[in-house]
C-alpha cells in the first residue's frame, strides 16, 4: 500500500539532476502518474541519500560481487571454510545506510522503493529484523558443535546476499544484543552492505538493556560501516488514511459481538481447534480456526510465553486474527505489552487483518507506558500525594515507550478503509489462484 505524502511544493526534485534509474527517479515517475502525492522535504532528502547509495553500488557492483551468477556456486558455498584457513577481510568499497526517524515517516516504503529498483540477479535480501534474528538463532542451533557457529552463519548469510536490507531494526532481547557485534563484524568483513531502517538513532539502540556495555562496540561498528541519516518528518502518514469502525471494538464484555463477527468472516466453515508449526519443531495451539481466520483471547496469545517465532508461524497459516479483550497496558502487564507490540509488528509485516475488542483506543491502551524522559517531566506530579490513581500502574520503559508509537500508528492503519480493502483484494486474488490451480489439476 502506497504511503501518502504531504504536499510540499518546495520539496519538488528536478529529475534531470539524477540518473534515469533509481529510487528517486521511480518516486518522480509515481508522483507524475498520480500514485503518490509530492513528498515533504525530509522524505525527499532521504530519497537523495538512497539515490546516492544506489549510484555508488552500481559503480562498484563488480567489486562488491553483487551478481549472483558471476561467482561459481561451489566457491561461494565454501568461502567460509577457506576463510578459516586463510583469514582475510574484504570490506565493501561502499558504505551502507542507516535510516531512522519517528513512526509513520515512510521508512519502510522508502526502503522498498530502493530495493525494488535493484536488479533481480543481484545477491540482495530484504527482511524484517525480527525475522532476520529468528533465522540467525535457528541457524546457530543447526551448527551447534562447530568451533565458531556465528562465523559459519555469517558466511551463509553473505553467500546468499551481499546487500542486506533490514527493516525495523530494534534490539530488545539480550540474546540478540550479545551476538550482534560479532555477527556484523563477520558480515562486514565478508563484504556485506547494510541498509537498515529504525525508530532509534544508533546511539539509542538497546538503551538501558542488560549488559549494554557488551553491545556498545556494535554501535561503533554500525557507524563505521554505514552512513547514518535521520528522517525528520513530523507527520505520521499512516494516520492520513480514513478510519473504518468495523473491526476494532472498544468496551468490555464484547465477547458475543466478536464471535458473531468472526462467524461472519468464516462464512459456512466450522471453526475448530487447530495446531500450527513454528520454528525448531515447536507448535502453537489455535483455540478456534477456519477459512484463514484464527480466534484467540488476549490471555492465550499475549500472556503465555510466546514470541515472534510463534506469531510468524500463526500468520503463515492464517490471514485474519480475532483477538478478544486487549487490555490497557501498564506496569502490571508490561511483559504482555511487549508481546502485543511484537504481535502487531508481525501482523503488519505480513499484511494480516485484525478483528479485536479492546478496553480503549490504540492511544488509550498505551497511555501508562512512558519513556524515562517522559517520566522525568511527570516526576513532580507523580511524586505528589494528589497523584491520580492510575499513576501507580505507570510503566517507565524506554524500549516499550518508543515502540508504543509505532504500534499505535500501525493499529490505526490496520483499521483504515484502505488497508482493509487491500487485504480483501489480496485474499480475493489468492482464492482465485487456488481455484485456478484446482481446476488445472482436475
Amino acid at each position: 500500500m502506497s504511503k501518502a505524502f504531504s504536499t510540499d511544493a518546495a520539496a519538488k526534485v528536478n529529475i534531470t539532476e539524477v540518473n534515469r534509474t533509481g529510487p528517486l527517479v521511480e518516486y518522480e515517475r509515481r508522483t507524475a502518474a498520480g500514485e503518490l502525492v509530492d513528498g515533504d522535504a525530509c522524505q525527499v532528502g532521504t530519497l537523495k541519500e538512497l539515490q546516492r547509495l544506489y549510484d555508488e553500488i552500481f559503480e562498484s557492483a563488480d567489486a562488491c560481487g553483487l551478481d549472483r551468477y558471476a561467482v561459481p556456486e561451489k566457491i561461494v558455498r565454501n568461502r567460509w571454510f577457506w576463510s578459516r584457513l586463510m583469514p582475510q577481510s574484504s570490506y565493501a568499497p561502499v558504505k551502507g545506510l542507516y535510516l531512522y526517524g519517528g513512526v509513520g515517516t515512510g521508512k519502510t516504503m522508502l526502503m522498498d522503493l530502493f530495493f525494488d529498483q535493484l536488479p533481480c540477479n543481484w545477491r540482495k535480501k530484504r527482511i524484517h529484523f525480527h525475522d532476520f534474528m529468528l533465522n540467525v538463532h535457528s541457524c546457530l542451533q543447526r551448527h551447534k558443535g562447530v568451533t565458531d557457529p556465528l562465523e559459519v552463519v555469517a558466511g551463509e548469510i553473505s553467500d546468499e546476499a551481499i546487500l542486506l536490507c533490514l527493516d525495523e531494526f530494534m534490539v530488545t532481547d539480550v540474546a540478540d544484543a550479545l551476538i550482534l557485534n560479532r555477527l556484523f563484524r563477520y558480515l562486514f568483513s565478508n563484504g556485506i552492505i547494510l541498509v537498515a531502517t529504525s525508530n532509534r538513532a544508533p546511539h539509542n539502540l538497546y538503551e538501558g538493556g542488560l549488559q549494554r556495555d557488551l553491545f556498545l562496540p556494535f554501535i561503533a561498528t554500525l557507524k563505521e560501516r554505514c552512513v547514518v541519516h535521520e528522517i525528520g518528518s513530523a507527520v505520521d502518514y499512516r494516520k492520513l488514511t480514513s478510519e473504518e469502525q468495523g473491526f476494532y471494538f472498544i468496551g468490555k464484555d464484547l465477547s458475543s459481538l466478536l464471535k458473531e463477527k468472526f462467524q461472519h468472516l468464516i462464512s459456512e466453515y466450522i471453526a475448530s481447534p487447530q495446531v500450527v508449526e513454528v520454528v525448531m519443531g515447536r507448535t502453537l495451539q489455535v483455540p478456534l480456526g477456519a477459512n484463514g481466520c484464527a480466534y484467540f483471547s488476549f490471555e492465550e496469545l499475549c500472556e503465555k510465553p510466546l514470541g515472534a517465532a510463534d506469531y510468524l508461524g500463526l500468520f503463515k497459516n492464517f490471514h485474519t486474527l480475532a483477538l478478544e479483550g486487549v487490555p490497557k497496558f501498564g506496569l502490571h502487564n508490561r511483559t504482555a505489552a511487549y508481546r502485543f507490540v511484537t504481535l502487531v509488528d508481525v501482523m503488519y509485516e505480513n499484511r494480516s487483518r485484525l478483528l479485536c475488542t479492546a478496553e480503549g483506543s490504540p492511544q488509550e491502551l498505551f497511555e501508562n507506558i512512558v519513556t524515562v524522559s517522559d517520566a522525568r517531566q511527570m516526576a513532580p506530579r507523580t511524586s505528589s500525594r494528589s497523584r491520580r490513581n492510575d499513576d501507580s500502574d505507570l510503566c517507565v520503559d524506554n524500549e516499550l515507550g518508543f515502540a508504543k508509537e509505532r504500534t499505535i500508528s500501525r493499529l490505526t492503519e490496520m483499521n483504515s478503509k484502505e488497508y482493509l480493502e487491500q487485504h480483501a483484494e489480496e485474499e480475493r486474488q489468492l482464492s482465485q489462484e487456488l481455484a485456478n490451480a484446482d481446476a488445472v489439476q482436475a
Side-chain angles (χ1 to χ4, degrees):
M1 177 165 47
S2 296
K3 306 294 188 294
F5 283 97
S6 65
T7 303
D8 184 350
K12 284 288 286 182
V13 180
N14 185 353
I15 199 168
T16 60
E17 296 175 1
V18 297
N19 294 334
R20 298 303 300 180
T21 60
L24 190 53
V25 179
E26 175 62 12
Y27 160 77
E28 282 290 332
R29 186 198 67 76
R30 292 188 186 183
T31 53
E35 297 171 22
L36 294 171
V37 295
D38 294 341
D40 63 29
C42 294
Q43 288 189 332
V44 172
T46 303
L47 279 164
K48 288 182 177 179
E49 280 294 311
L50 287 166
Q51 182 71 41
R52 177 194 56 75
L53 177 60
Y54 176 91
D55 295 338
E56 288 182 6
I57 291 175
F58 260 90
E59 290 173 6
S60 306
D62 291 339
C64 292
L66 280 162
D67 190 340
R68 69 175 63 254
Y69 302 112
V71 182
E73 183 180 348
K74 187 175 181 180
I75 293 177
V76 171
R77 189 170 58 249
N78 292 318
R79 183 190 299 127
W80 72 267
F81 172 76
W82 291 109
S83 69
R84 297 284 294 170
L85 299 179
M86 298 175 290
Q88 57 180 337
S89 293
S90 180
Y91 291 105
V94 176
K95 283 190 176 185
L97 186 60
Y98 182 96
L99 302 174
Y100 74 96
V103 297
T105 51
K107 298 184 295 295
T108 297
M109 187 277 293
L110 293 172
M111 172 185 273
D112 288 343
L113 195 62
F114 165 78
F115 186 82
D116 292 343
Q117 297 306 300
L118 300 170
C120 59
N121 63 304
W122 276 13
R123 291 156 60 200
K124 61 175 184 172
K125 187 179 185 70
R126 187 265 190 224
I127 187 171
H128 192 279
F129 183 71
H130 271 318
D131 298 354
F132 175 74
M133 292 309 300
L134 284 171
N135 292 343
V136 168
H137 287 295
S138 180
C139 291
L140 286 173
Q141 281 290 117
R142 192 172 71 247
H143 294 299
K144 208 170 181 180
V146 175
T147 303
D148 189 349
L150 203 54
E151 183 179 11
V152 178
V153 172
E156 290 177 344
I157 293 170
S158 52
D159 285 348
E160 180 186 2
I162 285 296
L163 183 62
L164 182 62
C165 295
L166 297 181
D167 194 26
E168 298 290 357
F169 206 110
M170 181 181 69
V171 187
T172 58
D173 187 272
V174 65
D176 292 347
L178 293 179
I179 67 171
L180 276 171
N181 184 47
R182 288 183 56 234
L183 173 64
F184 273 89
R185 275 213 327 265
Y186 286 135
L187 288 175
F188 287 134
S189 67
N190 286 346
I192 282 282
I193 302 169
L194 174 67
V195 180
T197 68
S198 179
N199 289 346
R200 312 292 297 273
H203 63 271
N204 287 331
L205 288 170
Y206 198 53
E207 191 172 27
L210 293 172
Q211 298 179 293
R212 189 172 187 259
D213 56 320
L214 299 177
F215 177 77
L216 293 177
F218 169 70
I219 296 176
T221 301
L222 189 64
K223 289 180 177 179
E224 180 185 349
R225 295 306 311 163
C226 293
V227 174
V228 177
H229 178 81
E230 180 180 8
I231 308 175
S233 178
V235 178
D236 185 342
Y237 293 97
R238 290 195 287 252
K239 291 182 179 178
L240 296 180
T241 56
S242 59
E243 293 188 4
E244 175 74 40
Q245 297 299 320
F247 287 85
Y248 189 104
F249 303 99
I250 299 174
K252 296 183 179 180
D253 303 321
L254 296 176
S255 176
S256 297
L257 175 62
L258 188 65
K259 287 176 180 173
E260 178 186 329
K261 296 291 184 181
F262 177 74
Q263 186 60 49
H264 176 73
L265 289 177
I266 65 174
S267 188
E268 73 275 8
Y269 292 85
I270 298 175
S272 61
Q274 297 187 24
V275 177
V276 297
E277 292 185 5
V278 293
V279 296
M280 292 181 276
R282 295 211 316 272
T283 59
L284 176 65
Q285 305 292 323
V286 180
L288 289 174
N291 195 27
C293 303
Y295 190 105
F296 281 85
S297 68
F298 180 84
E299 292 80 6
E300 290 167 321
L301 204 52
C302 295
E303 292 187 1
K304 291 184 177 180
L306 303 176
D310 303 283
Y311 301 145
L312 283 165
L314 177 65
F315 293 109
K316 283 180 181 176
N317 293 271
F318 297 92
H319 57 70
T320 297
L321 170 66
L323 187 63
E324 180 183 335
V326 181
K328 291 185 177 181
F329 299 110
L331 188 61
H332 75 286
N333 60 358
R334 177 170 65 176
T335 303
Y338 264 109
R339 292 197 185 102
F340 183 69
V341 165
T342 302
L343 174 67
V344 172
D345 281 346
V346 173
M347 289 193 72
Y348 186 83
E349 187 68 19
N350 284 274
R351 311 308 292 172
S352 303
R353 179 172 55 182
L354 177 65
L355 171 69
C356 76
T357 60
E359 290 186 2
S361 67
Q363 188 75 39
E364 291 169 341
L365 295 181
F366 288 92
E367 61 186 359
N368 272 348
I369 305 292
V370 298
T371 63
V372 173
S373 175
D374 292 336
R376 284 175 182 156
Q377 295 177 12
M378 298 167 66
R381 179 177 61 79
T382 57
S383 62
S384 168
R385 290 181 180 272
S386 62
R387 67 186 183 183
R388 300 180 317 186
N389 291 332
D390 64 355
D391 283 344
S392 61
D393 195 36
L394 196 68
C395 176
V396 182
D397 187 309
N398 256 0
E399 289 299 333
L400 201 53
F402 279 104
K404 77 171 187 179
E405 296 301 332
R406 181 178 72 253
T407 305
I408 291 167
S409 175
R410 289 184 165 182
L411 283 172
T412 302
E413 184 187 348
M414 289 166 69
N415 197 44
S416 71
K417 179 181 177 182
E418 290 84 353
Y419 185 99
L420 294 171
E421 286 179 346
Q422 186 199 28
H423 179 278
E425 177 61 21
E426 289 175 354
E427 290 309 313
R428 188 195 65 76
Q429 291 178 3
L430 180 60
S431 297
Q432 185 62 49
E433 290 172 5
L434 292 173
N436 292 340
D438 290 342
V440 170
Q441 289 180 357

